[in-house]
Amino acid sequence: GACCSYRLRDALHPLWQSPLTIPGGTRQSPINIQWRDSVYDPFLKPLKISYDPTTCLHIWNNGYSFLVEFDDSTDRSIIVGGPLENQYRLKQFHFHWGAINDWGSEHTVDSKFYPAELHLVHWNAVEYPNFEEAVMEGNGLAVIGVFLKLGARHEGLQTLVDALPAVRHKDTVIEFDVFDPSCLIPSCPDYWTYAGSLTTPPLTESVTWIIKKKPIEVDEDQLEAFRTLLFTSDGEEERRMVDNFRPLQPLMNRTVRSSFH
Ligand code: SG5
Ligand code: ZN
């Protein structure tokens, strides 16, 4: 199944030379969000997103996903509100997806997988001097998660999809200097939030997760374009970049809060 092939591949993947589980970890991600067990919190504020499209820098195949990276040297692309006490700067976004449409997301809702999941990674530039230090702190990062489901072609995503052939191999980068990722975030304000971790090494327990309730729609061709990317560098035996998600982790002593009834 998906889980086993993932574990086999992890064993080979350089990002995963550290263990799959963190000994003593109590707030690991991803998790299954059990809708009925989430607790409505009337004090949760709406999340405010303010991105400057010109802070976009490039697209990079890092051998695990493709990352769209942003200039985070100023407060030009930020989020504020929601469960957050500070404003957080956008650093990068990336996706996780499956070999087929039956799985691919990292989080699940009532044990249901989506075919892909978008992560917009932000760091707390009010309290920490740089991303690397924020990664080590409990309130260092805020990641917005957006589920992708099969449906209509997504015009905003298509700009990215068109650029993917240029970063097919690991360690390739292309300039991508204007993009507003807010086009990938559903306008419905509803979200779940919980305290968790990065889902790739170093797996640090530094992330406030904000998972949007409503998915965005993408079409089959767009998901297939993700699946043409490669884990491997030019010259290596080709391995398709698919199933780049971490297995579900135990909820342990955590509550998932919702911004909606
Ligand atoms: C961290 O976590 C990693 C990303 C990784 C996400 O942001 O960054 C670092 O550890 C740098 C200090 O890795 C890189 O950017 C490669 C250098 O993103 C990926 O590997 C792409 C999947 C993972 O974030 S997540 O928890 O939202 N999935
Ligand atoms: Zn991710």
Side-chain angles (χ1 to χ4, degrees), residues 51-57 69-72 74 76-77 90 177:
Y51 295 149
D52 173 349
T54 68
T55 60
C56 192
L57 296 174
E69 295 197 297
F70 291 76
D71 173 4
D72 61 354
T74 65
R76 282 186 295 155
S77 288
L90 179 63
D177 47 20

Side-chain angles (χ1 to χ4, degrees), residues 44-89:
L44 279 173
K45 297 181 203 86
L47 184 68
K48 287 194 194 135
I49 296 164
S50 162
Y51 295 149
D52 173 349
T54 68
T55 60
C56 192
L57 296 174
H58 50 247
I59 309 181
W60 173 35
N61 178 336
N62 77 340
Y64 190 80
S65 181
F66 67 93
L67 285 76
V68 181
E69 295 197 297
F70 291 76
D71 173 4
D72 61 354
S73 63
T74 65
D75 278 329
R76 282 186 295 155
S77 288
I78 54 148
I79 57 170
V80 62
L84 307 172
E85 282 174 16
N86 285 308
Q87 67 182 32
Y88 285 66
R89 274 185 205 168

Side-chain angles (χ1 to χ4, degrees), residues 138-244:
N139 66 347
L141 304 180
V143 181
I144 302 177
V146 180
F147 296 116
L148 278 62
K149 75 168 204 182
L150 204 57
R153 173 174 142 130
H154 193 292
E155 293 307 330
L157 182 67
Q158 190 57 37
T159 344
L160 271 176
V161 164
D162 290 338
L164 293 185
V167 291
R168 191 160 160 263
H169 290 98
K170 182 185 178 206
D171 296 328
T172 50
V173 187
I174 55 154
E175 199 176 306
F176 197 70
D177 47 20
V178 193
F179 185 75
D180 184 352
S182 60
C183 75
L184 301 173
I185 302 176
S187 51
C188 174
D190 299 346
Y191 63 84
W192 291 284
T193 183
Y194 77 96
S197 73
L198 291 172
T199 67
T200 66
L203 301 174
T204 44
E205 297 185 327
S206 52
V207 180
T208 301
W209 281 94
I210 301 166
I211 308 287
K212 298 288 282 188
K213 182 187 80 177
K214 204 169 150 40
I216 56 168
E217 286 187 16
V218 303
D219 74 14
E220 182 71 38
D221 293 347
Q222 294 181 313
L223 287 169
E224 276 305 319
F226 285 13
R227 296 177 185 129
T228 63
L229 293 171
L230 299 173
F231 284 129
T232 44
S233 309
D234 194 8
E236 284 185 89
E237 192 186 332
E238 292 190 356
R239 284 186 295 119
R240 285 194 314 143
M241 184 178 278
V242 294
D243 297 340
N244 56 355

